[in-house]
Amino acid sequence: MFNRTKSKKGRRSPMATVSLIVVGLMTTGGAYALFSSTANADDSTSTVAASSQSKVNEGQKLFASNCATCHGLSAQGTSEGPSLIGVGAASVDFQVGTGRMPMAAQGPQAEEKPAQFTDEQIDALAEYVASLGPGPAVPSESLTNGEDGDAAEGAELFRINCAMCHNVAGAGGALTEGKYAPNLQSVSGKHIYEAMVTGPQNMPVFNDLNLTPEQKADIITYLKYVQDNKSPGGFALGSLGPVAEGLFIWIFGLGAVVAMTVWLTAKSN
């Protein structure tokens, strides 16, 4: 009697077997899914790394063919050109993308001209130089499209930090020793941002402690507004400000008054 009761209590329920099968299937499926996702992630990472390395290699070839004469085979710099180690991708994208590099001839500063490389080649050169040492990266489009910033705030920041060289309307201006601040009325937002973070030629560097990325975006929004909205008064005289306008009035306005006076006097005689 005792043995029969014990045997009855120790018998497994049919549901226990089903539960064990379900748990086993779920465990196996979960492990397989985890393994598959990890493998896919590793494959994706490997593909991205291979693509990046391929771009670096292409950039190194372009650099050796077009830049090493002045900057050295390892971009260490020579007597003809500075070291590029640590300047970052943004500096290369600005200098090469605006045609300033390679320079056509030595001068007070590099002249802007049509770019000598395609966008893909510029990206490869930037990737190679960026691999040599940390430096400013190419900015995201959200910071350079000129649509997401505050134009009024950007105008104030531009007047405080930039107008003394570039003019309040971004028309540019003369500097010392034959150098000049370039006109900004046709420069892309990306190149304006890159110039602020890299400080090309005589321009100071505006890092994120001087101007935050959002403030740089505000400045670009203001310049984009100036580019899209020309002088409502008509002839802007190069947007050079009240000195040029006053000089125009003195020369042409008073000259016209004197000429009219002489003509009236001659006619009356």
Side-chain angles (χ1 to χ4, degrees):
M1 183 72 174
F2 175 78
N3 291 335
R4 184 181 301 172
T5 305
K6 182 177 180 182
S7 174
K8 198 172 191 179
K9 288 183 179 180
R11 186 181 300 166
R12 288 184 178 179
S13 169
M15 292 303 296
T17 303
V18 174
S19 299
L20 287 173
I21 293 173
V22 170
V23 170
L25 288 173
M26 291 179 64
T27 303
T28 304
Y32 177 78
L34 179 63
F35 174 78
S36 298
S37 62
T38 303
N40 289 336
D42 290 342
D43 291 343
S44 176
T45 302
S46 299
T47 301
V48 171
S51 175
S52 179
Q53 186 58 47
S54 174
K55 188 176 287 188
V56 168
N57 294 339
E58 177 65 22
Q60 186 175 17
K61 294 176 183 177
L62 289 168
F63 186 90
S65 302
N66 300 276
C67 316
T69 302
C70 294
H71 295 286
L73 281 174
S74 301
Q76 77 279 9
T78 68
S79 59
E80 300 297 326
S83 169
L84 300 182
I85 298 174
V87 301
S91 181
V92 177
D93 190 76
F94 173 81
Q95 296 287 357
V96 181
T98 60
R100 288 177 167 84
M101 293 292 160
M103 289 182 69
Q106 292 290 343
Q109 68 182 57
E111 299 283 344
E112 183 178 4
K113 60 183 185 297
Q116 306 298 300
F117 299 93
T118 65
D119 290 342
E120 292 75 14
Q121 290 173 325
I122 293 172
D123 289 343
L125 280 168
E127 193 84 13
Y128 167 65
V129 172
S131 71
L132 302 177
V138 175
S140 64
E141 186 179 355
S142 63
L143 295 172
T144 63
N145 57 21
E147 299 174 358
D148 302 325
D150 185 332
E153 180 68 19
E156 182 177 355
L157 290 168
F158 188 84
R159 285 194 297 270
I160 294 171
N161 297 281
C162 317
M164 67 286 294
C165 294
H166 289 283
N167 175 279
V168 72
L175 301 175
T176 59
E177 299 178 353
K179 301 173 184 177
Y180 61 92
N183 187 313
L184 302 179
Q185 295 178 343
S186 61
V187 182
S188 70
K190 181 175 74 165
H191 290 152
I192 292 171
Y193 194 103
E194 290 169 343
M196 286 191 278
V197 296
T198 62
Q201 317 211 110
N202 292 287
M203 185 169 172
V205 174
F206 294 97
N207 59 38
D208 290 348
L209 297 178
N210 303 128
L211 292 173
T212 65
E214 292 74 20
Q215 289 176 320
K216 294 184 181 77
D218 291 341
I219 290 175
I220 292 171
T221 299
Y222 164 68
L223 290 172
K224 180 67 173 175
Y225 175 84
V226 172
Q227 292 173 0
D228 295 340
N229 296 273
K230 303 303 180 184
S231 174
F235 189 37
L237 298 176
S239 298
L240 296 179
V243 174
E245 294 167 0
L247 184 62
F248 181 87
I249 292 298
W250 274 100
I251 294 176
F252 293 97
L254 291 179
V257 170
V258 170
M260 180 64 71
T261 302
V262 171
W263 180 77
L264 289 174
T265 303
K267 187 175 182 180
S268 63
N269 291 338

